[in-house]
Amino acid sequence: MGQPGLSSTQGRERPRVAAPVPVVLVGAGKVAHAAHLREIRDLPAELRLAAVVESDPAHIAAVRASGFGEVPVRGSIAEAVRAGARAALVCTPWWTHRAVVEECLSAGLPVLCEKPVSLDLGEVDALAAVELRTGLPVAAGYMKRHDPVVRLFLDHCRERLDRARRLTVDIHDPNAPHQVAHLLPYEPPPFGPQPAPAREALARALGPDSTGAQREAYARGLGGSLIHQVNLVHAVLAGSGRELAGRLLHADGWAAGAGVSCRWRPDDGLVVDLTHQRVPGHRRYREVLEFTAEDGVATLSLPSPYARDETATLTVETWDAGSGLAERRVRTAEPGNTGFRRQLVAWARQLSGEGGALPGLADVRRDARAVREAALRLA
C-alpha cells in the first residue's frame, strides 16, 4: 500500500534562530558554489555571510557574481573575525583542513568543516585536542544525516538491527565536470591526478609502505565518497556494540581504480557491502542503500547531493510469513530542502544554543579508521 511522503508543509517548516549567525566562508571553490553559497543566500534568517577568505581571483569574482558583492574578502581568519565573523564554514581542500580548522578554533570560531575533515587519524586526534582546549565544537559536513528521508531509513534500520542480515550501498558517480557545471559561475576543474600536497598527506595518512593505488582509492572512492556512507552505517550501529573497524572481510579495486568495494561483518548475523564506481560517461549520480532484515527490505534512493529538483525516496516492504500479507510504504520529502540546507539550519541552531550537537570529530575518527583499514587491504 502506498503512503504519501512528508507533506509540503513539513518540508518548508524549520525552527528559526533568534538572529542570523555571521559566518566566514573559508575557501570558495566547487562545493562552496555548488552547495553552500546558494543555501546561505536562501537562509537569511539563520546565517549571514560576514566575510570570505579566498585568494583565487576567479573564485573571488564568482562570489561577487553570486549575490555577495558587498561581502568583504579577507586574506586571513583573523581579518574575518575583525569583519564580524563568529563561526567558520571550511570548504578548502581536505589536506588543508587541519591547519585551517585549528586556526579557526584558535581565533574563537566554532567550525563546520566539509568532509572529509581529515583522512589522517593523527590529524583528527590533534584537532580533538584543540577542540577540547578551546571549548569550541567542530561539526563534520555529513549533510546526508540531516535529510528527513535518510533519518527515516536510519530509524528503520536501528529498530530492526536485531533481525538484520545485510546492509548494502551502491554508488554510480560521474565525478566529472558536467555534474556541477550548471552550478558554477566558472569553468569546473577537470578530474585529474592528486596535487602534490594531497599526495604527501595521503602518504602520511596511510604510511610509507602504502601503494599509489591504495592512496588514490583512499582519496577518491573511499575517503572522498564512501566515508559518508560509512558514517550512515555507523549511525545505524551506534550503541549496539557492533563496529566496522576490525571486522573487514575484504576490499577490492578494479577498472584502474575507478571501482572500489568493501565488505565488513560487524557480527555473525550481519554483513555490510559498500561499492563506489566512478563512471564519467553517466549523466546522473545514483546512490542506493538497501537494508535487508528477516521480515522485510528497506530501499533508500538518493539523487546527487547538489540536486534541488529531486529528493530521496524510501521504500519499505514488509511481510508476514504466517498470514502471507505484505505491506509497501513509500516516503519522500519536498524537493529543494537539500541535506546541505538542513545541515546549515541545524548548525545555525547549534551556534545559537537552540539545537543539539552535529556529527563531530569522534564520528570522523571512527569513519576514517574503518575506511583506512579498507584502503590498506586493497591489492
Side-chain angles (χ1 to χ4, degrees):
M1 178 177 65
Q3 182 168 326
L6 302 175
S7 73
S8 59
T9 301
Q10 285 177 295
R12 282 192 295 268
E13 287 179 351
R14 61 177 184 267
R16 296 302 182 99
V17 298
V21 180
V23 302
V24 54
L25 172 67
V26 188
K30 182 180 77 171
V31 71
H33 285 282
H36 293 296
L37 282 172
R38 61 177 180 165
E39 301 297 358
I40 291 173
R41 187 173 56 239
D42 291 347
L43 295 171
E46 285 81 11
L47 298 169
R48 176 176 64 83
L49 192 61
V52 174
V53 173
E54 176 58 71
S55 59
D56 187 300
H59 292 177
I60 293 171
V63 171
R64 302 285 189 221
S66 299
F68 296 99
E70 303 302 318
V71 174
V73 177
R74 296 292 184 254
S76 70
I77 302 300
E79 292 177 56
V81 172
R82 289 194 289 272
R86 295 297 175 264
L89 174 58
V90 174
C91 296
T92 57
W94 72 265
W95 57 89
T96 69
H97 284 171
R98 177 190 174 177
V100 173
V101 172
E102 187 168 340
E103 184 179 359
C104 291
L105 294 176
S106 297
L109 302 179
V111 173
L112 170 59
C113 183
E114 260 300 328
K115 63 90 182 168
V117 174
S118 179
L119 296 175
D120 187 320
L121 297 179
E123 288 190 353
V124 178
D125 291 341
L127 286 176
V130 179
E131 182 184 50
L132 181 63
R133 173 173 58 81
T134 61
L136 298 170
V138 177
Y142 288 129
M143 49 78 187
K144 295 180 194 289
R145 292 278 294 274
H146 302 276
D147 186 305
V149 181
V150 174
R151 287 182 169 182
L152 288 174
F153 176 77
L154 297 179
D155 289 343
H156 175 91
C157 297
R158 293 188 193 104
E159 291 167 2
R160 292 160 178 80
L161 193 54
D162 61 335
R163 290 166 275 166
R165 289 294 173 262
R166 190 174 183 227
L167 177 55
T168 67
V169 176
D170 190 15
I171 297 175
H172 296 177
D173 185 0
N175 196 3
H178 70 257
Q179 191 177 3
V180 294
H182 62 294
L183 299 173
L184 303 183
Y186 56 86
E187 191 70 21
F191 184 92
Q194 298 285 333
R199 295 196 299 271
E200 294 167 4
L202 289 165
R204 290 193 302 270
L206 288 181
D209 295 332
S210 58
T211 67
Q214 289 171 335
R215 295 172 189 176
E216 180 70 9
Y218 195 38
R220 305 285 195 185
L222 289 171
S225 180
L226 284 176
I227 199 166
H228 215 147
Q229 288 69 34
V230 165
N231 180 261
L232 296 181
V233 174
H234 278 141
V236 171
L237 300 180
S240 71
R242 301 171 177 89
E243 291 286 345
L244 294 184
R247 303 289 293 182
L248 182 70
L249 295 180
H250 72 78
D252 190 22
W254 68 96
V260 62
S261 65
C262 320
R263 167 172 277 199
W264 289 269
R265 185 183 291 165
D267 64 23
D268 288 340
L270 173 65
V271 293
V272 176
D273 289 307
L274 276 64
T275 298
H276 178 276
Q277 297 182 70
R278 179 177 180 263
V279 280
H282 287 211
R283 298 304 301 172
R284 302 178 76 83
Y285 175 97
R286 175 182 178 272
E287 177 179 341
V288 178
L289 292 82
E290 188 167 271
F291 176 83
T292 303
E294 294 174 356
D295 60 346
V297 176
T299 304
L300 175 66
S301 299
L302 294 167
S304 165
Y306 303 118
R308 277 184 160 186
D309 59 343
E310 300 177 82
T311 182
T313 300
L314 172 62
T315 303
V316 178
E317 297 177 274
T318 57
W319 52 86
D320 184 325
S323 66
L325 295 177
E327 181 181 36
R328 185 174 189 269
R329 291 171 291 149
V330 178
R331 304 297 296 271
T332 62
E334 180 186 39
N337 268 308
T338 65
F340 283 110
R341 175 177 297 194
R342 293 177 184 276
Q343 175 180 249
L344 288 174
V345 171
W347 185 47
R349 286 181 52 75
Q350 180 194 43
L351 295 173
S352 300
E354 301 172 5
L358 276 65
L361 292 177
D363 300 83
V364 170
R365 194 184 202 288
R366 186 179 301 112
D367 302 336
R369 183 184 173 206
V371 173
R372 181 179 185 274
E373 182 181 30
L376 291 173
R377 187 72 65 87
L378 294 171

